[in-house]
Amino acid sequence: MASPPRHLLPLLLLLALLGTSSADPAVYDRPVIGIVTHPGDGAAGRIDNGTSTSYIGASYVKFVEAGGARVIPLIYNEPDERLLEKLSLVNGVLFTGGSVKRVPFPLFAQCLGFELVSMIVSKDNNILESFHASDQASTLQFPNYSSLQGSVFERFHPDLIQKLSTSCLVMQNHKYGISPKRMRENDALSSFFKILTTSPDENGEVYISTVEAQKYPITCTQWHPEKAIFEWGKPMIPHSEDAVQVTQNFANYFISQARKSPNRPPADKVLDNLIYNYSPTFSGKTSKSFELVYLFS
Ligand SMILES: *[C@@H]1O[C@H](CO)[C@@H](O)[C@H](O)[C@H]1NC(C)=O
Ligand SMILES: *[C@@H]1O[C@H](CO)[C@@H](O)[C@H](O)[C@H]1NC(C)=O
């Protein structure tokens, strides 16, 4: 916790498609998503204290499944060759955020979103500002409706967009963020991303809550779309039908992007690497963060 990275960027990065955006016009209906593991057990050591242990909250896996895809875990401390092999089997990557620095950088060097985040973390630690948005349900404000065109929000019913801006339908859990002003003042950031939504923290300070890359299929949220359907440990997590619809729209969008990936991984190799080769552990009694976790050690 002392060094910045651990909670520096609690972004949920949805990095659809490793680099390629257009290419094959044929839609692929068997998409596979890589999810990067996090150091630790997701329960502050109460389940597994091992120093090489890492985990994936099962809610992220179910989020991907809800969109019609399967998951291969990208275990952060595996040998690079294994990770590269697994990357060749996926159509998109879900990067669940948190400890950015410890994810092996070279694997994602092709991915501009991750390069950018890494650049921020490593070279411009001051880009992030403090916000009070730990365990807080919030609204999403839409500063520019034109920017929603072609984005994840395009598939939202206008009523739901309206409700998002007035009701607290999304779950936040972060201490840092970037204000619109800070992003506008940073050429690298503002030319790469467009702002889709902002949110107020507990003190009414406004931070960017959803961005999309201008030229790449990369969507980043500061909030946690997976929690509304799959996590129950904290009382402020919204579970209303509207909140669930937000999550479902988001999952469908993310996987629709992955369906455009030209990668057609061999079925047997996919089976060998699927997360179904592991059993999740019920953690809801030991930790409020996750109902179920996949552990890797
Ligand atoms: C992990 O370490 C802490 C502190 O030493 C201890 O209280 C806890 O029981 C350990 N957890 C497990 C699963 O061994
Ligand atoms: C709103 O978004 C559109 C489309 O991305 C962009 O062309 C326009 O410059 C934006 N307007 C403002 C005020 O940022």
Side-chain angles (χ1 to χ4, degrees), residues 28 30 32 70 72 85-91 262-274:
Y28 184 52
R30 304 183 67 80
V32 178
R70 291 171 295 168
I72 286 179
E85 184 192 358
K86 286 179 171 183
L87 282 174
S88 75
L89 300 175
V90 301
N91 304 95
N263 203 12
R264 302 288 181 267
D268 56 337
K269 287 241 169 67
V270 168
L271 290 181
D272 284 347
N273 288 282
L274 283 180

Side-chain angles (χ1 to χ4, degrees), residues 26-152:
V27 167
Y28 184 52
D29 285 338
R30 304 183 67 80
V32 178
I33 303 298
I35 302 185
V36 183
T37 71
H38 255 294
D41 66 350
R46 288 188 289 270
I47 304 170
D48 184 337
N49 271 334
T51 51
S52 65
T53 299
S54 65
Y55 76 96
I56 295 172
S59 49
Y60 294 107
V61 176
K62 296 188 232 181
F63 173 76
V64 166
E65 290 170 349
R70 291 171 295 168
V71 166
I72 286 179
L74 303 175
I75 303 170
Y76 87 102
N77 49 1
E78 273 181 313
D80 286 0
E81 305 81 64
R82 270 297 282 149
L83 280 164
L84 285 168
E85 184 192 358
K86 286 179 171 183
L87 282 174
S88 75
L89 300 175
V90 301
N91 304 95
V93 172
L94 177 64
F95 185 65
T96 64
S99 180
V100 169
K101 196 179 167 187
R102 294 221 235 158
V103 176
F105 174 79
L107 293 173
F108 293 86
Q110 286 175 310
C111 172
L112 282 178
F114 184 72
E115 278 184 352
L116 183 69
V117 170
S118 299
M119 177 196 78
I120 293 164
V121 170
S122 59
K123 297 196 182 128
D124 190 0
N125 280 338
N126 297 325
I127 193 77
L128 292 171
E129 300 153 280
S130 289
F131 287 95
H132 293 88
S134 301
D135 289 333
Q136 180 208 17
S138 82
T139 62
L140 295 181
Q141 303 300 321
F142 301 88
N144 179 356
Y145 284 101
S146 319
S147 71
L148 303 186
Q149 236 177 11
S151 82
V152 56

